[in-house]
Amino acid sequence: MKRFHIILALLLAAAPGRAAPIDDARLQSAGSDTGNWILPGRDYGDSRFSPLSAIDRTSVKRLVPKWIYQTGYAATFQTTPLVADGVMYLSAPFSHVIAIDAKTGRERWRYEHKATTKKLCCGPANRGVALGYGLVYVATVDARLVALDQATGKVVFDVALAPATDAEAPSEDSATIRGGDAAMKGAVAGATGIGANSAPLVYDGKVIVGITGVGYGLHLDSDRPGAPLGAVVGVAGRYGRPGFLAAFDAKTGARIWTFESTREDWEGAFSQETAYGVKLERDIPAEKAAAPEHKDAWKFGGGSIWHAPALDSKTGLLYLGIGNPSPQVAGESRPGDNLYTSSLVAIDAKTGKLVWHYQQVPHDLWGYDVASPPALFDVEVSGRKVAAVGQASKLGWYFVHDRATGELLFKSEPYAPQTNLFRAPTKEGIVIAPGVGGGSNWSPAAVDEQAGRAFVAAMHWPSTYRAQEIAATADKPAVRFFSIEPVKEGMYGLLSAIDLKAGGKILWQRRTPEPLIGGTLATAGGLVFNGEGSGDLSAFDSATGETLWSFNCGAGVNAPPMAYAVDGTEYVAVAAGGSQIWGFRQGGAVIAFGLPD
């Protein structure tokens, strides 16, 4: 009888469509799970590399749409769908969650999120859900963590990441600028608040998630509907709050630990140059003189978390980037290096304690968040194998660090033009590149560890950085402010293959007509997939960069592609919904491609 039960269990586990539980063991082995994609970056190391190979350099030219699912929301769409045992789970704009049949595209269930506030700090975009322990987790635009039953979509718990009152915005400075400066060719609006748009990470009974929206800055509204962001405007002052990454109990939603993006002694060493030797235009004596007046600036210090962390499950360390300090692009009220903003950090997953940090930009005045998720891989340096973490920066370099210590092993050749890097603003305006968009923005890079290549989606979009002042009036004091405005002409995208075996040399590079926002997918079929704001999803030869296939999806492809298999059939899927902030056509479709039957 015992033997019969064992055989029956094996047969049930092997039965087509039979869903195995997503527990810790399965999450840790996600990289070897050929057909599924159950973590935000496919594996804990965030490689975004699929071992599927039937769609390869030869067969990809026959790729066709197999199904199209319409979410019903035409808004900025950035999700990476997850697939487990024939079911796809995805987050739509405004943090709605949908489960669909991964083979047919038919809806199974839908969760409609009801936001607790209409003042969304960071727009409607959501970058994905997490799976684990029979639940689906989503971090929402109104700063909540919601757990849903994986089979039905019913709410299991709904907890606040932070008090709802944090979503309120001071308006005094935005009103002052709006009414006082004729040179500003658009209405100025501003808000500080809290939301969440990155996918959570499930590990060891915890759900780990970060918040966004704390790097306070004003912005110029677009001059026409659908146009990109007009400008970022910074005003010194006590706005914002620290960002954080927090861990919650996966069953109850109770908070376990919190890591805050800033610290009380955040002034640091008042660095005159970056850790990699590039000079910063800073008046260090003036900053030190102003420091006593701004001792509590860290309490308003910003540092959003724009992605799910990468995880080394052997050491229990999390790796993530921290956003820019607050107030954005205005440093007068925050003297010092502003630790840990604009840094790559390693955190203990059990306690939330910092292990090491590497600040890419001390006292960031340019909006150079560490926004693209890091990836884990092994690399050979000076004849020795090193466990490494790599990150595609907004600065235009791919940084590779020792995973244990944070030591910089090397940075790549620039994959985006660099002009007037770290120059201070002027009254007339100075053109800097990369601009406030990057380099590589939040777009995740893919890593083919065996080939030793990282594939980065980036852009060239220079910005003009100005220091300006509104004269005092009888009832209002003078206001000094700073603006970073993207240059209207000459922008383009750059898809690059970085040779990790050759110290970061650019193996090949493809220029695209529009800036690249969304991310890459690499596969064992020798392919790299990348989308564009024009609506094109394209496949490139990963060794040469040659374009092998392209399909126009009808709306901007500004989300990362992913790959999976059901019943032996391989698919590549992507969200096609564009991006309002970048001016790309919006839609609401998820499209799955495969080879003809």
Side-chain angles (χ1 to χ4, degrees), residues 250-268:
K251 292 183 180 180
T252 67
R255 189 180 294 241
I256 298 172
W257 55 252
T258 301
F259 167 79
E260 291 199 332
S261 302
T262 63
R263 70 186 200 193
E264 187 170 357
D265 57 340
W266 79 328
E267 293 91 350

Side-chain angles (χ1 to χ4, degrees), residues 17 69 80 98-99 171 217 342 354 367 439 444 479 483 562 565 579:
Y69 174 81
T80 298
I98 304 163
S171 58
S342 301
L354 182 80
V479 176
S483 66
M562 52 82 68
S579 174

